[in-house]
Amino acid sequence: MPALTALPSEDLADLAARLLTELAAFRGRGLKLDMTRGKPAPEQLDLSSDLLALPGNRDVTTQSGEDARNYGGLQGLPEARALFAGLLGAPADQVVVGENSSLALMHDSLVWALLKGVPGGARPWSQEGEIAFLAPVPGYDRHFAICEAFGVKLIPVPLTGAGPDMDTVERLVAEPSVKGMWCVPRYSNPTGETYGAETVRRLAAMRTGAPDFRIYWDNAYAVHDLVEAGPPLENLLDACAASGNPDRAFVFASTSKITLAGAGLAFFASSPANVAWFLANAGVRTIGPNKLNQLAHVRFFRDADGIARHMAAHRALLAPKFEAVEAALAARLAETGAATWARPEGGYFVSVDVRPGTARRVVALAGELGVKMTPAGSTWPGGKDPADANLRIAPSFPSLAEVKAAAEGIALAILLAAVEAEQGARGETTAGA
Amino acid sequence: MPALTALPSEDLADLAARLLTELAAFRGRGLKLDMTRGKPAPEQLDLSSDLLALPGNRDVTTQSGEDARNYGGLQGLPEARALFAGLLGAPADQVVVGENSSLALMHDSLVWALLKGVPGGARPWSQEGEIAFLAPVPGYDRHFAICEAFGVKLIPVPLTGAGPDMDTVERLVAEPSVKGMWCVPRYSNPTGETYGAETVRRLAAMRTGAPDFRIYWDNAYAVHDLVEAGPPLENLLDACAASGNPDRAFVFASTSKITLAGAGLAFFASSPANVAWFLANAGVRTIGPNKLNQLAHVRFFRDADGIARHMAAHRALLAPKFEAVEAALAARLAETGAATWARPEGGYFVSVDVRPGTARRVVALAGELGVKMTPAGSTWPGGKDPADANLRIAPSFPSLAEVKAAAEGIALAILLAAVEAEQGARGETTAGA
């Protein structure tokens, strides 16, 4: 099919009529599919079944001879930190293991920055007047929500396919009120892009107006490849140290999408000064983390190879779902100009840019088809996508058959919304819509 | 032995010489005992061994049919909330289950109050100028540390044996800058006292200058009896509601000293408005708690009777240790006037008031004997006990034989320090000290 904009109005009207018929037929299937959140499927969680009976009741002694059941060990077990050090790109003594949520560690890092300040800063951020974070867009709504909850302004920065537009970033961070920046550097949520080496180096080296600027580096998909050899990611901590900005990066990760989404381990990694700062604050908050879950993870994986084998099993389950989305979108939308979309090599999302002004309409249409989508706009600060164009598809949780059906429904909704919009632009209407 | 102050100076000198000889002999035993923190002993943790292989890998479905392994369920599993509702004195829908640390929930509640405010307040507490919390003394150093970390002033209020001196509390809370108060209402840390019914009612009903005043009610020892039938505690949430102050109380508890000190469950309970506020903030911080550990606890205990039976097993292990402390103190110190001490019916501590001005000396002397004690002053805000008199003994962790030896050493140190002080007051010196 040619581009919609090139179709004669009569053909457009025919297409609209056909799509409405298809819509009615699809609706008649009575589907109820949820494509909203990046949740692992039950089959993925089954990969970690053995974890559910670990550490077991025979041996709760850590490598250093401590009883993992009792209080203490604020930084996390050395063996757990060593196991995940590679994933974090930091030596084990610069890793902190938290509870089950890396988001919580990001929240706490911001809260402590607001109330106490960070190393290199003159005062708590809450005493600095209005402060801002850069928000590469489209991005992750829960990152934005943390800033929004505490009155930190979000400044959108466009992503390029290899990370944020660094000219824009460098210009914006010159402003001293810009205190931080959100990044999902590998398989970014939702675009799937991985930051290029040059991007990482510029992030590490750029001059910031704030001496206590921090990059919140949420490496949520560090090992979450959909292909055998995904793109490499430069080590930001190393790059920051090499650029004379050793304290710039806060690195976060978790095993939520490696082991158990609700019951994994979360990590913070950073420079020695930042880790000391984090632990000083964390030590006011808690006597120590759940070390039994750390011990369970250590015994489950044993080593980095164990993690790699485990992620290959995830890939085998996830890749077909992403292929199904790609196939459905390509079959319906190729050449139409109604949408462009990512073909991610990892992560949990397919980002789709539909015809500007139609994203909310697509979500509404998909809803009529029984396909629940992440609300349009949610990939932007404040939930407001100025172009009303970006959509996030999360194909991990439903079964492969459901993903196929849902993606076909979404593609149908995207095309119909685009046809409606084109007709509207021409002053025509879609009969019966 | 008569009171030291009544001893003729010659007898006092003889006693000093004898005690120094004993000190040298005790030191010669080369003991290394740690009586500093209220940690459960390994035998106590063994009571929860079955928990370490739960929930197991066969059934991870919650009562409502959800997969406990995945994201979500911010408030905690309904069955976990129901199981511990009695302990918290709140209906299950007013209970929130967190991770392993109730201290973390207290920290977060204060942080959110500072940055966002609480229901009934005009603004975030961090925008109120200097604010203060009341700190019943002697109290728990980690409570004080949270306030100290965030610049919240602590105003000591004396405990009476049935809770804080309410005349003083009522006078102080009339001041609008007094925003909150710490309470360990049952088997208070360290005094072991339980707040009386009248105290609870007055706390609930008192007029506060701050409309958004909060009681941080850390019911850490709710079911931690050392006797078969401990003293009752009035329900503060009910009392607050009955007094027209439904949002006054934040209730906290955990299973740290019920199941596993590092890997239990922590709870927040409060009014519907406060629970909604807590969840709104918690939802920015995390997608949900570790529900597998909740499921494990539910399957381990089954019901409230299961908890009661479990606590009876703790009592059987703990009570002899407290009896050993009592016996050692009584044997050495009765009638001497060198110290008074609590005979707690529950909790984890024995609070000892030594001769004013000698607490630090006692800790130092005990250290020479190989007995590590909680630093003198730590039961007071800022670590400064103005009378230098209160000491906290934590007999739970060491073995019974170790507790016996440690308590004998502590009693010896208390008496010697008192003798030294009495001699000092008379202008005499302890030969060879």
Side-chain angles (χ1 to χ4, degrees):
Chain A
M1 201 175 75
L4 296 184
T5 50
L7 276 188
S9 291
E10 204 172 312
D11 293 358
L12 204 60
D14 286 351
L15 176 57
R18 270 207 321 277
L19 292 175
L20 284 171
T21 307
E22 282 196 63
L23 190 85
F26 198 109
R27 194 163 37 201
R29 292 161 68 182
L31 299 178
K32 208 173 162 190
L33 306 171
D34 190 334
M35 302 284 277
T36 59
R37 307 263 12 151
K39 289 166 66 172
E43 301 76 37
Q44 291 180 266
L45 299 169
D46 287 345
L47 299 173
S48 300
S49 276
D50 289 350
L51 198 52
L52 296 168
L54 285 172
N57 56 14
R58 297 205 193 151
D59 181 7
V60 288
T61 307
T62 69
Q63 272 178 19
S64 57
E66 308 261 327
D67 185 339
R69 301 172 299 178
N70 222 320
Y71 287 116
L74 186 63
Q75 191 170 353
L77 295 182
E79 53 265 48
R81 293 188 273 114
L83 175 62
F84 293 100
L87 187 148
L88 289 153
D93 59 1
Q94 289 170 230
V95 173
V96 180
V97 192
E99 301 306 319
N100 68 330
S101 165
S102 56
L103 197 71
L105 303 181
M106 299 173 216
H107 167 279
D108 292 352
S109 300
L110 182 61
V111 154
W112 295 330
L114 287 167
L115 289 172
K116 308 274 292 174
V118 297
R123 61 188 71 80
W125 289 1
S126 62
Q127 293 170 20
E128 297 261 11
E130 187 180 75
I131 63 164
F133 266 47
L134 303 189
V137 284
Y140 179 34
D141 56 351
R142 291 187 189 271
H143 287 166
F144 303 156
I146 291 177
C147 280
E148 286 159 359
F150 299 113
V152 177
K153 191 181 156 192
L154 289 162
I155 304 174
V157 175
L159 285 162
T160 64
D165 175 347
M166 285 307 301
D167 291 343
T168 302
V169 169
E170 285 164 349
R171 181 171 51 76
L172 290 169
V173 298
E175 168 59 46
S177 68
V178 175
K179 287 290 190 183
M181 177 176 185
W182 292 106
C183 296
V184 183
R186 195 149 196 262
Y187 305 135
S188 190
N189 174 356
T191 66
E193 72 200 79
T194 295
Y195 289 19
E198 182 61 16
T199 302
V200 175
R201 279 195 286 268
R202 285 174 73 177
L203 286 169
M206 65 191 180
R207 299 189 64 154
T208 62
D212 52 353
F213 180 88
R214 289 294 183 277
I215 296 172
Y216 281 61
W217 191 252
D218 180 7
N219 205 356
Y221 308 102
V223 291
H224 303 60
D225 304 302
L226 293 165
V227 298
E228 203 147 328
L233 174 68
E234 292 287 302
N235 185 314
L236 179 67
L237 288 171
D238 289 351
C240 286
S243 298
N245 300 309
D247 299 331
R248 178 168 291 180
F250 285 167
V251 176
F252 304 93
S254 81
T255 71
S256 297
K257 294 184 180 87
I258 297 176
T259 55
L260 300 165
L265 301 177
F267 308 98
F268 171 84
S270 195
S271 65
N274 285 337
V275 167
W277 168 85
F278 187 96
L279 290 174
N281 286 297
V284 171
R285 186 176 182 272
T286 180
I287 308 176
N290 182 331
K291 297 182 297 298
L292 289 174
N293 201 22
Q294 297 179 24
L295 199 60
H297 276 74
V298 167
R299 297 201 178 148
F300 179 67
F301 282 125
R302 295 172 189 279
D303 54 29
D305 282 349
I307 299 174
R309 279 192 302 273
H310 190 81
M311 294 314 295
H314 277 294
R315 183 168 73 238
L317 293 167
L318 280 174
K321 296 183 180 178
F322 281 80
E323 286 156 16
V325 171
E326 165 64 23
L329 297 179
R332 177 74 75 174
L333 302 172
E335 319 286 317
T336 64
T340 57
W341 59 93
R343 289 163 188 81
E345 298 190 310
Y348 264 63
F349 303 102
V350 177
S351 182
V352 185
D353 285 315
V354 298
R355 180 175 165 130
T358 70
R360 276 178 299 185
R361 176 66 179 152
V362 170
V363 172
L365 283 169
E368 288 182 28
L369 298 178
V371 181
K372 196 172 169 191
M373 297 185 69
T374 311
S378 70
T379 55
W380 278 72
K384 291 194 187 94
D385 173 2
D388 186 29
N390 185 252
L391 292 173
R392 186 182 87 162
I393 298 178
S396 56
F397 185 76
S399 70
L400 180 56
E402 288 173 329
V403 169
K404 272 184 185 156
E408 284 162 11
I410 290 168
L412 175 58
I414 290 170
L415 188 60
L416 179 55
V419 168
E420 289 172 353
E422 178 63 20
Q423 290 185 308
R426 295 184 198 178
E428 299 155 2
T429 57
T430 305
Chain B
M1 200 174 76
L4 296 184
T5 49
L7 275 188
S9 290
E10 203 171 310
D11 293 357
L12 203 61
D14 286 351
L15 176 59
R18 271 208 319 277
L19 292 175
L20 285 170
T21 307
E22 282 195 61
L23 190 87
F26 197 108
R27 194 163 38 203
R29 292 160 69 182
L31 298 178
K32 208 175 161 189
L33 305 171
D34 189 333
M35 302 286 277
T36 59
R37 307 266 7 155
K39 290 167 64 171
E43 301 76 39
Q44 290 180 267
L45 300 169
D46 288 345
L47 299 174
S48 299
S49 276
D50 289 348
L51 198 54
L52 296 167
L54 285 172
N57 56 13
R58 296 204 192 151
D59 181 5
V60 288
T61 307
T62 69
Q63 271 178 19
S64 58
E66 308 261 325
D67 185 338
R69 300 171 300 178
N70 222 320
Y71 287 116
L74 185 63
Q75 192 170 352
L77 296 183
E79 54 265 48
R81 292 187 274 115
L83 175 61
F84 293 100
L87 188 146
L88 289 152
D93 60 0
Q94 288 169 231
V95 173
V96 180
V97 192
E99 301 306 320
N100 67 331
S101 165
S102 56
L103 197 72
L105 303 181
M106 299 173 216
H107 167 280
D108 292 353
S109 299
L110 181 63
V111 154
W112 295 329
L114 288 167
L115 289 171
K116 309 273 294 175
V118 297
R123 61 189 70 81
W125 289 1
S126 62
Q127 293 170 21
E128 298 260 11
E130 186 179 76
I131 63 165
F133 266 47
L134 303 189
V137 284
Y140 180 34
D141 56 350
R142 291 188 189 271
H143 287 165
F144 303 157
I146 291 177
C147 279
E148 286 159 0
F150 298 114
V152 177
K153 192 181 157 193
L154 288 163
I155 304 174
V157 176
L159 284 163
T160 64
D165 175 346
M166 285 307 301
D167 291 343
T168 303
V169 169
E170 285 165 348
R171 180 172 52 76
L172 290 169
V173 298
E175 168 60 46
S177 68
V178 175
K179 288 290 193 183
M181 175 174 184
W182 292 107
C183 296
V184 183
R186 194 149 198 263
Y187 305 134
S188 190
N189 175 354
T191 66
E193 72 199 78
T194 295
Y195 290 20
E198 182 60 17
T199 303
V200 174
R201 279 195 285 269
R202 285 174 75 176
L203 285 169
M206 65 191 179
R207 298 189 66 155
T208 62
D212 52 352
F213 179 88
R214 288 295 183 278
I215 297 171
Y216 280 61
W217 192 253
D218 181 5
N219 205 356
Y221 308 102
V223 292
H224 303 62
D225 305 302
L226 293 166
V227 297
E228 202 147 329
L233 175 68
E234 291 288 302
N235 185 313
L236 180 67
L237 288 171
D238 290 350
C240 286
S243 300
N245 299 311
D247 298 332
R248 178 169 289 177
F250 285 167
V251 175
F252 304 93
S254 81
T255 72
S256 295
K257 294 185 180 87
I258 297 176
T259 54
L260 301 165
L265 301 177
F267 308 99
F268 171 85
S270 195
S271 66
N274 284 338
V275 167
W277 168 85
F278 187 96
L279 290 173
N281 286 298
V284 170
R285 186 176 182 272
T286 179
I287 307 177
N290 182 333
K291 297 182 297 299
L292 289 174
N293 200 22
Q294 297 179 25
L295 199 60
H297 276 73
V298 168
R299 296 201 178 147
F300 178 68
F301 283 125
R302 297 177 189 275
D303 54 30
D305 282 349
I307 299 174
R309 279 192 302 272
H310 190 82
M311 294 315 295
H314 277 294
R315 183 168 73 238
L317 293 167
L318 280 174
K321 295 183 181 176
F322 281 80
E323 286 156 16
V325 172
E326 164 64 24
L329 296 181
R332 176 74 74 175
L333 302 173
E335 318 287 318
T336 64
T340 57
W341 59 94
R343 288 160 187 83
E345 299 192 308
Y348 265 62
F349 303 102
V350 176
S351 182
V352 185
D353 285 314
V354 298
R355 180 177 165 128
T358 69
R360 277 178 299 188
R361 176 66 178 152
V362 170
V363 173
L365 283 169
E368 288 181 29
L369 298 176
V371 181
K372 196 171 166 192
M373 297 185 69
T374 311
S378 69
T379 56
W380 278 71
K384 290 194 188 92
D385 173 1
D388 187 29
N390 186 249
L391 292 173
R392 187 182 87 162
I393 298 179
S396 55
F397 186 77
S399 70
L400 181 57
E402 288 173 329
V403 169
K404 272 185 187 159
E408 284 162 11
I410 290 168
L412 175 58
I414 289 171
L415 188 60
L416 177 55
V419 168
E420 289 172 354
E422 177 63 21
Q423 290 187 308
R426 298 185 195 176
E428 299 156 1
T429 57
T430 305

